[in-house]
Amino acid sequence: MKPDGKVVLLGDMNVGKTSLLHRYMERRFQDTVSTVGGAFYLKQWGPHNISIWDTAGREQFHGLGSMYCRGAAAVILTYDVTNLQSMVELEDRFLALTDSASPDCLFIVAGNKVDLTDACAFLPESEDKQIEKPPNSFISTKVKKQVHVNDAIAFYRKILKYKMLDEVNAPAAEKMCFETSAKTGYNVDHLFETIFEMVVPVILQQKAEGLPQTVDLNNCKTAKNTHSGCCR
Amino acid sequence: MENEDPGLPCKGGMDLPEQKRGLDPTDRYGDESCSVSEKQEEAPAAPNNGPLNMVVDKVNGQEELREAPEELSDKDVSDSTSIDNTWEDSSEFRRQMVIGDGPSGEEEAVIQSRLATYRDEDVTAESWRAHRKHVFILSEAGKPIYSRYGNEEALSSTMGVMMALVSFIQSGDNSIRSIYSDDHKLVFVQQGPLVLVSVSHTLQSEQQLRQELLYVYDQIISMLTQASITRIFERKKNYDLRRLLTGSEKILDRLLNLVESDPCFLLGAVRCLPLPASLRDSLGTLLQKAITPNLVFSILVARSQLVTTVQEKTVIEDCRLEPTDLHLLLNLIGATSAFQTGEIWTPICLPRFNPDCYFYAYISYLDSECTVCLILLSTDKDSFYSVSDCKKRIEEGMRTQNYLQALSSGLKSPSYSVGLVGVPDLRHFMYKPLDIPDNYRQLPQFTSPELEGPYCSENERHRLFDLYHYLHGRIHSTSRPLRLIYHVAEKETLLAWVTSKFELYTCFNPLVTKAGAINVLTKLLRWIKKEEDRLFIRYPPKYSTTPNPGKGSRAPRTDGTENGFFGGGH
Ligand SMILES: Nc1nc2c(ncn2[C@@H]2O[C@H](COP(=O)(O)OP(=O)(O)O)[C@@H](O)[C@H]2O)c(=O)[nH]1
Ligand SMILES: [Mg+2]
């Protein structure tokens, strides 16, 4: 059973990539441990098997990013809405890793941890969470949002520019920028399901073109001896 | 400066061996070269043994005449012990042992949260100073890299002092090895551009502390490789290595807890999951069949205990999997992937196997409780899907034969109860066979029951392992190695014994007589003999021969260090 398409989560460590995937796949939020390398998940989506790679954001594994991205049909660039630096890192460190992705790769920008910000007091919290909360923690735990949706949209436009894609042909920025909370589950299903829906046509096209559908870690054998070329 | 120094003791004698000690990665206990500091160790480190404590010197050689362990008699022990009795006041020994309160290896989640608080510790507080053992890592340029307790940034002046010491002595073409104060030992290890320092008031010998620091160094190597560390610091002397280690502190924290509580590090041996030999063999066969080009090691573990391992033929011709590499790998997995549901694919270096190259590790749990873990090591970074396919075959084989169920019955408790041996006076033991068949190709192994009874609390566990460390240190002392030690401590009696066939540490109830202890030993050795097929991997699976094995396997693909790691950033 070979996967048909690949979705990759990129972003600095601690922004919540693993938590987002856990929330979606396991339907819960639990303490995570810092990811090493990359973790592979398979998601059945209609007749398709979509592979999802959760990557380690730390610098230790930086050079591997492009290996995990190779042939990707979609890349989720993830940041933490309470941490401006995590957005800066996306542009400085992670965007270039997507060079190895499929030419028609989709880009999604996801701002996680909105539950921490005061702008989202309306978010549904799971019931048990509310019970164990001390009465006034609500106010004290809220922090100021550092990255707003508009910043994400601006970043999305930069991606298109970087990829030399015409905004007219690419999916609209507003559609590709998400704010999520792995903790409360807010927008998480919506994020992944929107991506899968959009990835299916890419998969079908890849199949039609007879392009390698196996996400191509295997196809890179020839590049193995050109070390630096392979993984940069 | 003085105010910021959190009171590291350095008033004791400093010893400066003429010669810098070789940093041989294969260095193990028992074959150390004699060094100046080893001799110095004896004086301040020798704990004050209880009045009944007797130490047997190797010179005596009694048990060398007694090949068969069953033949050890009361007379042998008393005869040999009469040569070298040490009579000292035991009060100080006791005091030393109750100090300290490090974390246990119990609940991963609990540890993780406690570790988080350790990092925030106030480094000026008395409680910070009171820790049993501090470990610091700094770069040659004096930049802090890691501190076991407290934020390393807050400790930068302390580390600066340490580096000043190191360089001052280096300038005289010497290297600093250790400093002894009244109740602390400071041990220094320099490995390439990194300096590791241990500050402890445990009963561990300098050699043991040094070995622990080397484990820590090797764990860093397992993540970054020696070649890249060297390269990075060649390029930039004051590089801040924390950039590459952020997120990995937990791995080092966990390792430092393990080396103090898991005998596998002390004994340099792996713990096998007790299993019927037939089941182990079948699982080995399964691993052996599920292969793909460039897959060199297949390892099946359950709760950090080895079930079985298969190695690719050309690799094994060169050398075998080292226990240290397995321990470090399992620690890394335990610290980063517990509860992980996906399939992990990550570069990993086996420092004792080859410190400069990466393997690609495929890690996946086979059961929903995440107790049975399959590790497949490949030399080809692009082989994820074919390696993942091997896992599917193994999983399938285990499902059809119901092996997983059979395995999990061996997993009900962490290990087995010492009660199985059937001798009431015996509380705990650690047994490392030295005569396993096919020894050269085999991983060194040991067996040990779970800790029960008086050793359920963390403090008591530490106390017991302090005693084991002490006995191990005496047995493996470079200046005066011993074969047999009968040690009466305050709350228990211990006996350590090493022969050509095994290394054994036993802990008895304190009321045991010497004759009684020897009687127990005899029974224990008989029990182990009877159970050895279950306790150990007696006949390792044949090597696998993958269709297109990696050549010159000691150096699996030199692309390890050049594969674009650290490609960004600098
Ligand atoms: N409040 C809050 N915390 C989160 C959220 N997502 C992740 N976290 C926490 O952020 C930390 C890092 O999460 P993790 O998923 O490991 O991040 P990764 O390094 O990007 O994989 C963990 O302590 C999570 O519990 C979220 O949506 N809200
Ligand atoms: Mg993660």
Side-chain angles (χ1 to χ4, degrees):
Chain A
M1 188 172 57
K2 292 282 183 191
D4 305 313
K6 172 152 76 167
V7 176
V8 182
L9 279 154
L10 283 187
D12 205 359
M13 67 178 277
N14 276 328
V15 298
K17 300 178 295 299
T18 306
S19 301
L20 277 172
L21 199 51
H22 262 247
R23 165 60 81 180
Y24 181 67
M25 301 291 283
E26 319 262 314
R27 320 303 303 161
R28 64 198 161 124
F29 178 77
Q30 58 174 159
D31 238 7
T32 54
V33 279
S34 186
T35 313
V36 288
F40 171 86
Y41 294 78
L42 206 57
K43 173 74 189 175
Q44 187 88 31
W45 188 252
H48 307 288
N49 290 310
I50 295 176
S51 65
I52 310 173
W53 280 93
D54 173 26
T55 62
R58 357 180 192 148
E59 201 165 320
Q60 185 192 334
F61 297 106
H62 190 72
L64 288 176
S66 56
M67 173 174 107
Y68 298 114
C69 279
R70 193 169 300 127
V75 173
I76 311 174
L77 292 149
T78 320
Y79 64 94
D80 172 352
V81 293
T82 67
N83 180 345
L84 182 60
Q85 188 58 30
S86 69
M87 174 53 106
V88 175
E89 295 281 324
L90 281 185
E91 192 175 339
D92 288 355
R93 219 149 53 85
F94 294 98
L95 187 53
L97 300 177
T98 65
D99 290 356
S100 60
S102 155
D104 40 14
C105 178
L106 296 162
F107 293 89
I108 297 94
V109 184
N112 189 39
K113 304 198 189 180
V114 270
D115 59 283
L116 292 176
T117 64
D118 41 15
C120 53
F122 56 88
L123 288 180
E125 289 246 352
S126 60
E127 279 164 38
D128 50 348
K129 280 276 141 48
Q130 247 156 21
I131 291 161
E132 67 194 40
K133 247 187 198 170
N136 51 6
S137 74
F138 190 79
I139 303 139
S140 57
T141 54
K142 296 300 170 190
V143 293
K144 205 166 148 34
K145 205 170 181 177
Q146 290 197 5
V147 190
H148 296 271
V149 184
N150 283 342
D151 305 320
I153 289 174
F155 174 56
Y156 182 79
R157 300 222 162 90
K158 275 189 200 157
I159 299 173
L160 296 185
K161 223 168 133 190
Y162 174 82
K163 294 282 161 188
M164 293 187 284
L165 291 170
D166 195 337
E167 242 178 273
V168 192
N169 304 323
E174 289 74 12
K175 247 182 86 189
M176 304 305 271
C177 295
F178 293 79
E179 286 196 335
T180 60
S181 166
K183 187 169 179 181
T184 66
Y186 172 74
N187 235 355
V188 176
D189 286 355
H190 181 56
L191 167 74
F192 283 102
E193 282 161 13
T194 309
I195 294 167
F196 295 155
E197 285 301 335
M198 296 176 81
V199 159
V200 168
V202 180
I203 293 171
L204 292 176
Q205 195 189 337
Q206 281 181 349
K207 277 190 173 164
E209 288 169 7
L211 281 174
Q213 294 127 36
T214 54
V215 206
D216 334 303
L217 282 173
N218 284 325
N219 274 353
C220 180
K221 285 239 167 84
T222 45
K224 192 162 31 191
N225 296 326
T226 57
H227 303 138
S228 46
C230 187
C231 258
R232 285 214 179 219
Chain B
M1 185 71 115
E2 257 140 49
N3 288 341
E4 285 156 24
D5 186 323
L8 292 165
C10 48
K11 42 189 160 136
M14 199 184 280
D15 59 79
L16 312 168
E18 290 299 300
Q19 218 179 351
K20 190 177 162 189
R21 178 112 188 276
L23 302 166
D24 177 7
T26 60
D27 181 34
R28 249 180 268 128
Y29 301 117
D31 57 343
E32 311 106 7
S33 56
C34 195
S35 72
V36 180
S37 61
E38 293 301 337
K39 291 206 180 86
Q40 289 229 342
E41 174 208 9
E42 290 293 328
N48 309 289
N49 306 306
L52 287 176
N53 178 34
M54 282 157 263
V55 179
V56 187
D57 212 313
K58 192 185 185 181
V59 193
N60 197 33
Q62 280 291 333
E63 66 291 312
E64 235 122 70
L65 303 170
R66 309 258 178 231
E67 281 294 290
E70 284 87 355
E71 287 174 38
L72 183 71
S73 73
D74 191 1
K75 188 165 170 298
D76 291 331
V77 177
S78 28
D79 283 354
S80 45
T81 49
S82 60
I83 308 273
D84 182 356
N85 281 3
T86 36
W87 296 76
E88 284 164 60
D89 175 23
S90 63
S91 60
E92 203 181 336
F93 189 46
R94 258 173 242 154
R95 185 177 57 76
Q96 281 198 14
M97 288 192 306
V98 289
I99 298 171
D101 178 30
S104 84
E106 258 185 39
E107 282 256 315
E108 195 70 32
V110 177
I111 289 179
Q112 299 289 6
S113 65
R114 287 174 63 185
L115 291 174
T117 58
Y118 281 146
R119 196 109 298 131
D120 307 328
E121 244 177 72
D122 176 6
V123 301
T124 58
E126 197 48 50
S127 59
W128 184 86
R129 292 167 189 235
H131 285 298
R132 282 161 53 89
K133 189 188 292 159
H134 285 274
V135 171
F136 306 98
I137 308 175
L138 44 150
S139 73
E140 231 176 347
K143 264 211 179 354
I145 294 170
Y146 170 84
S147 166
R148 184 181 187 187
Y149 302 110
N151 181 299
E152 70 286 332
E153 200 73 61
L155 293 163
S156 52
S157 60
T158 306
M159 300 216 204
V161 171
M162 291 177 183
M163 198 55 232
L165 263 171
V166 171
S167 9
F168 173 72
I169 288 152
Q170 246 169 12
S171 64
D173 261 354
N174 275 311
S175 70
I176 188 165
R177 293 168 51 86
S178 52
I179 299 174
Y180 289 93
S181 79
D182 291 348
D183 52 359
H184 280 81
K185 274 187 202 114
L186 276 80
V187 175
F188 294 79
V189 164
Q190 179 154 17
Q191 292 277 278
L194 302 189
V195 175
L196 299 96
V197 185
S198 175
V199 180
S200 98
H201 55 96
T202 64
L203 293 174
Q204 285 170 282
S205 68
E206 178 181 336
Q207 183 50 37
Q208 287 166 347
L209 294 169
R210 191 174 302 283
Q211 185 63 46
E212 282 182 7
L213 290 179
L214 288 173
Y215 280 134
V216 175
Y217 175 74
D218 278 343
Q219 186 84 72
I220 294 176
I221 295 304
S222 78
M223 299 183 268
L224 302 177
T225 76
Q226 189 161 268
S228 17
I229 290 182
T230 312
R231 194 158 35 92
I232 287 166
F233 282 101
E234 265 167 18
R235 269 188 221 156
K236 202 172 166 212
K237 256 201 143 14
N238 65 345
Y239 183 81
D240 186 355
L241 198 64
R242 283 177 304 172
R243 282 177 59 178
L244 294 177
L245 287 177
T246 33
S248 304
E249 303 89 345
K250 276 182 184 167
I251 297 172
L252 301 181
D253 293 342
R254 192 177 184 276
L255 175 70
L256 285 168
N257 291 331
L258 277 182
V259 292
E260 285 189 351
S261 61
D262 189 334
C264 71
F265 289 95
L266 180 67
L267 298 174
V270 298
R271 189 199 286 270
C272 296
L273 182 74
L275 274 187
S278 58
L279 176 57
R280 203 189 303 277
D281 289 347
S282 310
L283 289 165
T285 311
L286 198 58
L287 293 192
Q288 216 180 334
K289 282 188 193 147
I291 46 173
T292 184
N294 299 314
L295 176 64
V296 288
F297 290 112
S298 311
I299 304 163
L300 190 62
V301 291
R303 285 236 187 112
S304 295
Q305 301 171 75
L306 185 64
V307 174
T308 188
T309 168
V310 170
Q311 313 188 18
E312 210 281 320
K313 190 162 191 306
T314 50
V315 174
I316 194 78
E317 275 168 2
D318 284 357
C319 61
R320 61 166 188 217
L321 185 61
E322 286 286 328
T324 299
D325 286 337
L326 187 60
H327 298 151
L328 297 175
L329 180 61
L330 294 183
N331 177 52
L332 186 131
I333 292 172
T336 55
S337 73
F339 333 114
Q340 179 66 260
T341 47
E343 300 164 49
I344 294 166
W345 184 244
T346 187
I348 183 103
C349 165
L350 303 182
R352 303 282 165 111
F353 188 89
N354 184 332
D356 296 325
C357 293
Y358 283 112
F359 281 99
Y360 286 82
Y362 172 91
I363 302 158
S364 176
Y365 288 97
L366 301 181
D367 60 336
S368 50
E369 290 82 39
C370 295
T371 46
V372 181
C373 181
L374 177 69
I375 305 158
L376 303 172
L377 297 177
S378 167
T379 52
D380 177 5
K381 71 165 175 263
D382 298 319
S383 61
F384 172 79
Y385 289 103
S386 52
V387 173
S388 171
D389 218 56
C390 294
K391 176 242 177 175
K392 285 192 196 98
R393 280 183 273 157
I394 292 166
E395 214 169 24
E396 179 65 18
M398 287 183 77
R399 205 175 45 77
T400 54
Q401 309 284 324
N402 252 334
Y403 290 153
L404 205 56
Q405 226 167 343
L407 254 185
S408 60
S409 70
L411 280 172
K412 294 253 163 61
S413 55
S415 187
Y416 54 92
S417 164
V418 70
L420 286 180
V421 183
V423 273
D425 282 336
L426 184 65
R427 284 183 177 175
H428 190 253
F429 67 89
M430 312 191 294
Y431 177 91
K432 178 183 177 184
L434 302 174
D435 66 338
I436 33 178
D438 201 10
N439 199 8
Y440 172 67
R441 307 280 189 203
Q442 267 271 42
L443 276 164
Q445 303 168 44
F446 81 100
T447 188
S448 187
E450 53 193 284
L451 287 163
E452 297 171 85
Y455 307 109
C456 284
S457 79
E458 186 177 87
N459 271 336
E460 289 299 291
R461 270 201 304 267
H462 271 149
R463 212 172 51 75
L464 178 63
F465 277 101
D466 267 351
L467 287 164
Y468 277 151
H469 270 102
Y470 165 67
L471 293 178
H472 180 275
R474 300 302 303 262
I475 291 270
H476 293 279
S477 153
T478 43
S479 49
R480 233 168 33 125
L482 301 171
R483 286 267 161 188
L484 186 63
I485 306 173
Y486 183 75
H487 181 87
V488 178
E490 186 192 2
K491 295 182 182 166
E492 54 274 289
T493 294
L494 296 105
L495 201 151
W497 188 18
V498 56
T499 73
S500 59
K501 293 185 172 164
F502 60 81
E503 187 170 338
L504 174 64
Y505 300 84
T506 43
C507 171
F508 304 97
N509 131 16
L511 299 176
V512 78
T513 60
K514 205 183 288 165
I518 284 155
N519 195 15
V520 170
L521 268 195
T522 310
K523 284 187 178 148
L524 172 62
L525 290 170
R526 262 191 215 128
W527 181 81
I528 291 172
K529 185 89 200 137
K530 185 164 68 79
E531 297 289 322
E532 65 185 359
D533 281 348
R534 229 171 49 81
L535 296 176
F536 302 110
I537 302 178
R538 298 271 295 159
Y539 303 96
K542 287 261 173 312
Y543 322 124
S544 65
T545 317
T546 62
N548 180 21
K551 270 208 185 131
S553 25
R554 216 177 201 292
R557 295 274 180 285
T558 42
D559 63 351
T561 54
E562 293 290 340
N563 70 353
F565 268 68
F566 330 118
H570 46 98

